[in-house]
Amino acid sequence: MTTSRPDAVVVGAGVIGAAVALELARTGRQVVVVDKAGAAGHGSTSASSAIIRFNYSTFDGVATAWEAQHLWTSWPDHLRLTGRRPLAAFHRSGAVLLDSPAVAPSGVTALFDRAGVQYERWDAPALRRHLPGIDPGRYWPPKPVDDDAFFDGPTGELGALFTPDAGFVDDPQLAAQNLADAAAELGASFLFHHTVVAVDRHADRVAGIRLADGTRISAPVVVNAAGPWSGGLNRLSGVGSDFTIGVRPLREEVHQVVAPSGHTTGPGPGPVVADLDLGTYLRAASGGRLLVGGTEPPCDPPEWIDDPDEADPRPTAHRFRTQVTRAARRFPEIGVPNRPLGVAGVYDVTDDWTPIYDRTALDGYYVAMGTSGNQFKNAPLVGRYLATLIDLVEAGHDHDGDPVRYRCERTGNVVDLGAFSRRRPVRAGSARTVMG
């Protein structure tokens, strides 16, 4: 049976899907969002570390993150919600990017200068001053913690780049709910506990979706924002043969430990620390804790999975010990408890860890996929990217031949949306890690 005929269907109510729904609703479209979970942000979004940083390997990546930060800092204005309700909050803690051969500081600062990102260069004494208890030793390359070489002494000392405007969002799931609420106020409807089992098409154009309960939703536009299920939805849709970029689900863990005393010298939370030298990152969390995650160093085999539904959401003792031991090498006061505490999530990861925000060969069918856990920060802007792209392509613009260029409202930077094309080549200098 057909229950509705909206202007657009968004599959996935994570932070990306909710942002897309909001911006499509702002264009005057009637939007339906479908998700198999029970509420907005209950999938991959809920496991996000929600870090807001700007270091990416391309100008378009840096410019996107820098513009998006301005939306997080004015979150209530971005949402335009009526009435009082809980809102996610952005904490401007700053971020420290420790030096590593994998990311040349000069390359990062060149992109920062071009985009307008503010930064400071810190040497080892400055690291000790700003981050009490840090060991600024150089231990490159990252090694397994069971390798005797892991405990070898340093070969020198590190410097770092500090970006004062970086930070984190305190509640990623609530952020997705905020976006969903804002979309709902504009008439968007959300169908939870519903699974898409088919994508309808007429000739070479999408015609809607069918749900497991037999419901058919007809629509001229469908957006795949299904996170780790996005590849499966593409297969249902019969798209992907012209993609030059592969996408696979990857299971990741983020752990919690008690923050060492004196982790910060200021009244607020300490800065985010990205430590490619040892292969880890950390940020402050509520209750005097730290979140600790990994940066996919080559010595750690990735945990690719076939079915996101079968991924164990519990942290494992091995991964916990690996990541927390690395954090403790950098901050020796961090303890390594015997019992793991944290969460595991599944992300859709592209070959080069850059997302795909694009149309497809099936007219009317668009994708916001391959977001890999590092695109939470960009979600408010990604909604605008997709709405702009859909408006122009549906009006006849050839995005494949003449990629859309998006002028950022807050920073004035111009982002080439072709950088997120499904047909792009994998750059030789791409990070190929969560750092993007």
Side-chain angles (χ1 to χ4, degrees):
M1 61 180 176
T2 300
T3 59
S4 62
R5 296 180 181 273
D7 300 308
V9 172
V10 177
V11 182
V15 71
I16 298 289
V20 172
L22 172 58
E23 298 302 331
L24 287 177
R26 284 176 171 166
T27 67
R29 289 180 171 87
Q30 181 184 358
V31 181
V32 171
V33 184
V34 179
D35 198 293
K36 66 193 303 179
H42 274 202
S44 302
T45 298
S46 63
S48 173
S49 296
I51 291 172
I52 311 300
R53 60 172 173 86
F54 319 117
N55 49 300
Y56 281 86
S57 58
T58 67
F59 170 76
D60 296 298
V62 172
T64 295
W66 182 227
E67 176 75 7
Q69 186 267 3
H70 291 71
L71 304 182
W72 288 113
T73 58
S74 57
W75 193 232
D77 293 336
H78 176 71
L79 296 170
R80 306 176 207 166
L81 282 164
T82 59
R84 298 183 63 180
R85 67 192 76 197
L87 298 181
F90 169 66
H91 295 270
R92 183 180 175 270
S93 63
V96 177
L97 175 64
L98 296 175
D99 291 347
S100 83
V103 180
S106 60
V108 176
T109 56
L111 295 176
F112 283 176
D113 289 338
R114 182 179 170 191
V117 178
Q118 301 300 306
Y119 63 89
E120 300 171 12
R121 180 68 186 161
W122 288 359
D123 57 14
L127 280 171
R128 292 188 178 94
R129 184 169 63 253
H130 291 289
L131 293 174
I134 191 173
D135 172 2
R138 185 187 310 276
Y139 297 104
W140 181 268
K143 306 169 187 68
V145 297
D146 293 324
D147 188 333
D148 290 342
F150 176 81
F151 295 99
D152 287 349
T155 58
E157 290 193 328
L158 299 172
L161 289 174
F162 175 68
T163 49
D165 296 309
F168 62 92
V169 174
D170 60 356
D171 191 332
Q173 184 177 321
L174 179 58
Q177 185 63 59
N178 293 159
L179 290 163
D181 288 344
E185 285 198 354
L186 296 176
S189 58
F190 288 76
L191 302 179
F192 295 110
H193 298 299
H194 284 282
T195 301
V196 178
V197 295
V199 176
D200 293 329
R201 59 194 301 165
H202 179 70
D204 291 327
R205 181 163 192 95
V206 74
I209 63 170
R210 280 177 279 166
L211 306 180
D213 66 358
T215 299
R216 179 183 176 190
I217 303 175
S218 297
V221 169
V222 173
V223 180
N224 178 358
W229 294 273
S230 60
L233 186 60
N234 276 0
R235 289 188 289 274
L236 286 178
S237 309
V239 305
S241 62
D242 66 335
F243 282 41
T244 60
I245 301 293
V247 181
R248 298 175 65 187
L250 177 70
R251 181 182 179 276
E252 289 279 13
E253 296 185 18
V254 177
H255 305 110
Q256 286 194 29
V257 295
V258 175
S261 60
H263 177 63
T264 177
T265 57
V272 174
V273 177
D275 186 1
L276 293 175
D277 181 74
L278 281 169
T280 190
Y281 70 84
L282 53 86
R283 77 152 173 90
S286 61
R289 294 183 175 272
L290 294 175
L291 296 185
V292 181
T295 62
E296 291 77 41
C299 61
D300 290 352
E303 190 178 350
W304 302 109
I305 61 175
D306 295 321
D307 184 355
D309 291 319
E310 294 183 356
D312 191 337
R314 298 167 298 183
T316 60
H318 172 72
R319 292 228 171 190
F320 179 81
R321 187 171 68 88
T322 294
Q323 293 182 174
V324 175
T325 300
R326 287 179 175 146
R329 189 78 200 260
R330 188 62 66 200
F331 292 91
E333 289 187 19
I334 291 178
V336 185
N338 293 325
R339 179 178 298 177
L341 178 64
V343 296
V346 182
Y347 302 104
D348 53 328
V349 176
T350 64
D351 295 336
D352 58 2
W353 288 78
T354 296
I356 304 173
Y357 304 135
D358 202 1
R359 62 161 300 162
T360 67
L362 177 61
D363 288 343
Y365 183 87
Y366 298 82
V367 293
M369 60 187 295
T371 52
S372 76
N374 74 20
Q375 289 294 295
F376 173 93
K377 67 181 69 58
N378 296 331
L381 185 59
V382 170
R384 295 182 175 182
Y385 283 176
L386 265 293
T388 300
L389 185 64
I390 290 169
D391 272 349
L392 291 173
V393 172
E394 293 301 301
H397 182 80
D398 178 12
H399 177 59
D400 288 336
D402 180 19
V404 172
R405 297 176 68 81
Y406 181 93
R407 180 172 291 279
C408 296
E409 177 183 331
R410 303 297 184 90
T411 62
N413 288 313
V414 176
V415 176
D416 179 1
L417 297 190
F420 310 110
S421 168
R422 71 196 187 281
R423 294 177 170 179
R424 66 180 181 267
V426 176
R427 296 181 301 105
S430 61
R432 303 201 186 205
T433 74
V434 72
M435 303 305 288

